[in-house]
Amino acid sequence: SFIGEESVAAGEGSILTDNPTWIIDPIDGTTNFVHRFPFVAVSIGFVVNKKIEFGIVYSCIEDKMYTARKGKGAFCNGQKLKVSGQEDITKSLLVTELGSNRDPENIKIILSNMERLLSIPIHG
């Protein structure tokens, strides 16, 4: 089976089943792409029994290939990635995304979450 982000966004129905399924977003970061902001990627995931098995993200502008496989770790251009080990959130950089859903109830939830994050003395 195949699920494409662009076709789902266009209104086509999609149901994730237990069948092996490719999930593809050919322009991950569509808003960035439309506004010529250079952070876009091609994202591909493979799911079996509704569980992710592996994923690939190719950052086109940076020419970086990110890969990850269940139980095998994550890599960037073949180099193993690891978390920083930083446990103090005040020494961390946090990034958030507002999403595209502008439903008033959804916006309230997002802003509430952001308010809680901004009350922590984080770097940004």
Side-chain angles (χ1 to χ4, degrees):
S1 299
F2 290 89
I3 297 175
E5 192 273 340
E6 305 302 339
S7 57
V8 171
E12 289 183 25
S14 176
I15 297 173
L16 183 61
T17 67
D18 287 336
N19 293 335
T21 304
W22 292 95
I23 301 173
I24 303 170
D25 188 349
I27 305 176
D28 195 352
T30 306
T31 301
N32 290 348
F33 180 78
V34 167
H35 292 280
R36 296 184 177 195
F37 190 64
F39 293 101
V40 298
V42 176
S43 297
I44 301 171
F46 186 71
V47 178
V48 178
N49 296 322
K50 299 180 187 170
K51 294 183 180 161
I52 190 77
E53 293 295 323
F54 64 85
I56 302 165
V57 175
Y58 178 59
S59 178
C60 312
I61 305 299
E62 299 176 290
D63 192 27
K64 290 184 177 179
M65 178 77 71
Y66 296 90
T67 59
R69 186 169 180 184
K70 185 177 175 181
K72 303 291 184 187
F75 299 82
C76 177
N77 291 341
Q79 298 290 317
K80 187 159 179 67
L81 299 173
K82 62 179 184 168
V83 296
S84 71
Q86 180 57 260
E87 294 183 15
D88 183 350
I89 196 168
T90 65
K91 295 179 180 170
S92 299
L93 174 64
L94 300 182
V95 179
T96 186
E97 160 66 40
L98 297 176
S100 59
N101 183 339
R102 298 297 185 249
D103 173 70
E105 191 58 37
N106 191 57
I107 291 173
K108 284 180 187 177
I109 292 167
I110 291 169
L111 292 177
S112 173
N113 290 338
M114 289 185 74
E115 184 177 21
R116 289 187 309 182
L117 286 172
L118 292 172
S119 68
I120 303 169
I122 54 177
H123 286 198

